[in-house]
Amino acid sequence: MKLRKLLFIVLLFVVGMAYAQQMGPIPVNKNVRQGKLSNGLTYYILHNDWPEHVANFYIAQRVGSIQENDRQRGLAHFLEHMAFNGSEHFPDSTILEYTRSLGVGFGNNLNAYTSIDQTVYRICDVPTKRQTALDSCLLILKDWSNGLTLADKEIDKERGVIHQEWQLSRSPIMRIYEEVLPKLYPGSKYGYRMPIGLMSIVDHFPYQDLRDYYKKWYRPDNQCIIVVGDVDVDHVEKEIKKLWNGVVVPANAAQVVDEKVPDTKDAIYVFGKDKEMPYSYVGFAMKHDVFPDEMKNDQSYFIDSYAKNIIAMMLNQRLKELSQKADCPFVNASADDGTYLLSKTKDAFSMDATAKEGKDIEALAAIYREAQRVRQYGFTAGEFARMKAEYLSQLEANYVNRNKIKNSQYGDELRDHYLSNEPIPSKEDEYQIMKQLVEMPALNVNVINNYAKELITDHDSNFVAFIFEQEKAGKTYPTEAQMAQAIKAVRAEKLTPYVDNVKQEPLLDEKKLPKAGKIVGVKENNTLGYKELTLSNGARVILKKTNFKDNEVLFQAISKGGKSLYGKADYDNLQLFDGVLGYSGLGDFSHQDLQKALSGKQASVNCAMSNFYQMLSGSCVPKDIETMMQLLYLNFTAISKDEDSYKAMMSQLELALKNKDLSPESVFSDSLTNTIYGHEARYAPMSLNTLKGVNYDRILQIWKERYASPGQFVYYFIGNFDEATLRPLIEKYIGCLPKGKAENWKETPAYATGKLENKFTRKSETPKAIAFEQWFAPMPYTVENDVLTDAAGQVLSMVYLKNIREDASAAYSVSAGGLLQRRGDKAYALIQTFCPMDPNKSDLALKLLAEGMKENCEKMDADKVQKVKDFMLKQAELSAKSNSHWMDVIDEYVWTGVDFQSGYKAAVEALTPAKIAAYLKKLVSAGNHAEVVMTPAK
């Protein structure tokens, strides 16, 4: 159905024609400074001081791979890479060096992406204390806009990097999509414009072809500059006008024209296969018109978005419930309404599923059947009430945090406004409008059901279905005719309405709670800014109130012991401990019952066990803190067996593990784990044999043992809580728990020592080469060693990026990292490097990895060290405004007495090239070196 007609139907049902005419536009955030230069350049500037003293810079371009001609396939993406390889004011790759001097790291802060119809570059978390640095970031955007040099030698160096990115991205599903995309887009250019392109073109295109694309499409009338953060808006606007003042759009410049996706009268059935496909993936799409960009500034767009969202939420809940039935032919499934695959000009109501082995056709029929059940009978009033409550709860949570929105969120919103006219109201306006619309009595379950009936069709026009599965010798594959017959058969079925089974009772019976405990002691830590309560049952409770996020309270409870207390007979159970408990019930509620009961509540608590600790972790919005406390209590006292949920989880794991060795990356990962731990059974990778050794009852017994002493746990609450409200809840839900006995961990094997080498070959559909190296040594657990280890890894990462990627074109990505890790009573410093290599240059990459380590053990580049220091200091400022950061800092202090906050900046400032090099040499000299290398089999 055409979207305009569909929208008319919804508005008619919801508000009536009179009110529909009064709904009016969605107001634009008045704090966003918008402008457009005479040459067509658009700009948005927004002052945002959360977090303080940083800003994000973007250039969004409404062009991508769809603008390529046939001999340019892949060049839009190639051009994105070249933006970092030389421009008018930043020759060669000096842009990486310069931004690093600002504390901006390549990859995490400095990056870009290319899609079908847009290309976006970003420079994020730039410190704003120096105006000259901010002006330089605008200069970088100006160079990206029209000042790229595109030198011959830089283009040739980047060919290998792009080729390696293509190799890395060639997963089974991507190979299938590349093959079947023309069938999914008959008569449309979308079937031939995957952004990665064709390697036959990437490897050999004439230099001028890239320059032609750049000159033709990278123009101010196709570009938008976005600056968000702690900036002077007037100054930024003035600089933008000055920098782009002389840029002229050529006469008769080519215009961006949307590529259409033709409607199809007949159904499209597509089958694809790949030898490394680990499971069968099935699905269908019912294509419909997109909501017109020019209409998105009207409040009717909010109604449309809400209706589609709530429909998907309710159907996904049904699919999750269905997946837990023993006879269900899929292990998981999902539904959504949005973009049809790649195209901005066609949307679709889509469903997909991971089928159980040999159940492809049945799974396709099953998800289509649930769609038709919705079409014929709609959703129940109960389902709608729960999802409406959940939607409003999420809406309120976002509104509560309206003054702590990060630059990245605003940046994405402004980008989408430029590229597709997505609304940009203030958070206050958005909340008020949405709340009013959602709570309108007229927008009821009947209206939503009528809308669902329009989105979910029962005919062949614009219907697309697919099955992708593993290619195997002697296997019989489903045919397109069988797919069509399955869909036809479902349409002929006489379905029955969905039955909504819901428990109408509270999470727990408070009358059965033990007597509340008392707070018997209070002391304060002024250095780290927290309060410690002691309860009558011995439990210690840490409280740190913050204002970093107005809608967040983080919780954790932790005590010693963990997996170290169990032997070989329980290794399999320990591997699945977290997952099994996560799929279990609580009290009288099954796993599914609990999800329904928590609708409209933003609160969660989960059990987890590490090698040396057992813990609970959770979060909530302030208003739902008692719900979180109830979940805390139940996780200590009333985890219950849920066989259906358990079996569904095991079926999903079995399907994933059965064919995991088809993936070269999975084989490499398992080989790495076995090597660095010396094939220690305690750390063995999960396999089908693991599942065979799992016993649900034994896992529940281990849970009872590990959580039998709540009074020995340390409890942490960090975030925006009201202490006067929280204290009685602590006494009620924690103070009532038994004290239990204190325990400690046992020493368990750590990493394998000595020189370990595991080099092997692996045949795969797309040749893959990967290298991993690890050096480790026992080190004192101090702030200085933590900083030294981290800094050493970052310097090595910079060295490898320059030598291996930029100069040698031997890898698309290469990274190094340093970590000071505590394992029980011991601590280790680790340096790890990871390098997916060009298979044709793997020897060179390995040589450069070895040389980089050797050289930096003797001498480190002072400029690189200074840039690492600047980056670490900037990140420390940002991290200090995160609740999770303080959770980690305080937890470490409680258990070890080491304060990783107070002395951190001083330790970073004290770094010198000589000190880091000496530390790295000491670490490497310990002689514990593991090397795992996978290369393609001949």
Side-chain angles (χ1 to χ4, degrees), residues 150 239 671 716 857 904:
L150 304 179
E239 284 296 304
S671 298
Y716 306 82
C857 283
Y904 181 83

Side-chain angles (χ1 to χ4, degrees), residues 351-580:
M351 294 180 68
D352 55 57
T354 301
K356 291 181 179 177
E357 189 170 14
K359 298 289 185 179
D360 312 64
I361 294 292
E362 291 91 335
L364 179 63
I367 59 174
Y368 187 68
R369 182 178 296 111
E370 293 314 305
Q372 292 305 308
R373 197 185 309 277
V374 169
R375 188 177 195 281
Q376 293 178 28
Y377 297 104
F379 297 100
T380 69
E383 288 177 291
F384 178 68
R386 285 197 305 274
M387 288 304 109
K388 178 179 174 179
E390 179 64 22
Y391 189 95
L392 286 168
S393 178
Q394 293 177 15
L395 186 69
E396 182 181 355
N398 291 331
Y399 175 68
V400 167
N401 201 53
R402 63 192 179 280
N403 296 319
K404 304 292 171 58
I405 305 296
K406 290 187 176 180
N407 295 331
S408 57
Q409 180 178 333
Y410 278 127
D412 290 347
E413 290 173 359
L414 294 173
R415 172 203 64 197
D416 293 343
H417 180 67
Y418 172 70
L419 294 171
S420 54
N421 201 34
E422 291 294 323
I424 49 168
S426 68
K427 300 306 172 187
E428 290 83 358
D429 286 340
E430 180 179 18
Y431 175 72
Q432 295 300 335
I433 294 171
M434 284 304 306
K435 191 171 188 295
Q436 180 183 4
L437 293 175
V438 172
E439 291 183 336
M440 284 191 303
L443 189 51
N444 53 41
V445 67
N446 295 325
V447 171
I448 296 300
N449 286 339
N450 275 288
Y451 199 10
K453 193 171 183 177
E454 300 300 336
L455 292 174
I456 300 171
T457 64
D458 61 353
H459 50 74
D460 279 353
S461 60
N462 281 330
F463 181 81
V464 180
F466 64 86
I467 292 179
F468 302 157
E469 66 173 52
Q470 181 190 143
E471 179 181 351
K472 187 185 292 186
K475 186 175 182 178
T476 301
Y477 305 107
T479 65
E480 293 175 7
Q482 289 174 320
M483 294 164 64
Q485 179 56 41
I487 297 298
K488 182 179 179 181
V490 171
R491 289 174 182 165
E493 288 180 16
K494 190 169 184 179
L495 302 178
T496 57
Y498 168 79
V499 178
D500 186 22
N501 296 311
V502 185
K503 276 186 173 292
Q504 304 291 342
E505 57 189 69
L507 283 177
L508 55 82
D509 184 351
E510 295 194 14
K511 295 179 180 178
K512 296 181 180 179
L513 278 174
K515 183 180 178 181
K518 294 292 183 182
I519 297 170
V520 297
V522 181
K523 60 181 180 179
E524 304 217 15
N525 182 303
N526 295 321
T527 303
L528 296 178
Y530 69 81
K531 189 177 293 184
E532 180 175 332
L533 313 179
T534 302
L535 303 187
S536 51
N537 62 357
R540 298 163 63 192
V541 182
I542 307 294
L543 305 180
K544 182 175 177 66
K545 182 173 174 60
T546 72
N547 62 356
F548 306 138
K549 291 185 73 173
D550 293 331
N551 64 345
E552 181 178 80
V553 179
L554 295 186
F555 158 74
Q556 179 175 283
I558 187 168
S559 70
K560 289 184 177 182
K563 298 178 183 178
S564 68
L565 302 182
Y566 296 89
K568 190 172 183 178
D570 280 313
Y571 286 171
D572 294 334
N573 292 317
L574 296 175
Q575 280 221 48
L576 267 69
F577 181 84
D578 296 359
V580 169

Side-chain angles (χ1 to χ4, degrees), residues 561-725:
K563 298 178 183 178
S564 68
L565 302 182
Y566 296 89
K568 190 172 183 178
D570 280 313
Y571 286 171
D572 294 334
N573 292 317
L574 296 175
Q575 280 221 48
L576 267 69
F577 181 84
D578 296 359
V580 169
L581 293 191
Y583 272 80
S584 294
L586 283 181
D588 295 331
F589 290 78
S590 69
H591 180 68
Q592 278 298 319
D593 291 336
L594 187 63
Q595 306 312 304
K596 293 180 179 181
L598 291 174
S599 293
K601 301 286 188 181
Q602 304 302 307
S604 65
V605 173
N606 293 291
C607 289
M609 188 158 58
S610 68
N611 206 37
F612 300 102
Y613 295 98
Q614 50 272 344
M615 63 199 79
L616 295 176
S617 60
S619 64
C620 69
V621 296
K623 73 178 182 64
D624 290 332
I625 198 160
E626 183 160 14
T627 298
M628 184 177 75
M629 299 297 284
Q630 291 174 340
L631 293 172
L632 176 164
Y633 177 83
L634 290 170
N635 271 276
F636 266 115
T637 63
I639 291 182
S640 56
K641 201 169 184 179
D642 186 338
E643 286 286 0
D644 289 342
S645 202
Y646 170 74
K647 289 175 181 177
M649 185 198 79
M650 295 297 279
S651 293
Q652 190 169 352
L653 285 172
E654 182 179 2
L655 184 65
L657 293 170
K658 186 170 185 177
N659 295 311
K660 78 167 185 170
D661 286 348
L662 293 174
S663 163
E665 290 84 359
S666 177
V667 170
F668 179 82
S669 177
D670 286 357
S671 298
L672 188 159
T673 299
N674 286 326
T675 300
I676 65 175
Y677 288 112
H679 293 270
E680 166 60 39
R682 181 179 291 273
Y683 310 117
M686 192 180 297
S687 67
L688 282 176
N689 285 332
T690 306
L691 304 187
K692 295 175 184 177
V694 171
N695 183 288
Y696 197 174
D697 290 325
R698 175 56 181 158
I699 287 177
L700 290 177
Q701 179 60 39
I702 293 173
W703 161 72
K704 288 180 181 178
E705 295 167 1
R706 292 297 87 233
Y707 293 82
S709 304
Q712 303 301 322
F713 279 67
V714 179
Y715 300 78
Y716 306 82
F717 295 90
I718 298 178
N720 183 30
F721 55 79
D722 176 60
E723 186 174 336
T725 300

Side-chain angles (χ1 to χ4, degrees), residues 42 88 168 170 263 296 326 481 485 569 673-674 791 805 824 853 895:
T42 301
E88 179 182 350
L168 289 174
R170 292 272 290 172
D263 289 332
K296 289 180 180 177
Q485 179 56 41
T673 299
N674 286 326
R805 173 178 162 138
M853 177 60 76
W895 292 102

Side-chain angles (χ1 to χ4, degrees), residues 779-787 820 898 900:
M779 289 285 182
Y781 198 63
T782 66
V783 176
E784 181 182 31
N785 284 345
D786 178 67
V787 166
L820 186 66
V898 180
F900 282 96

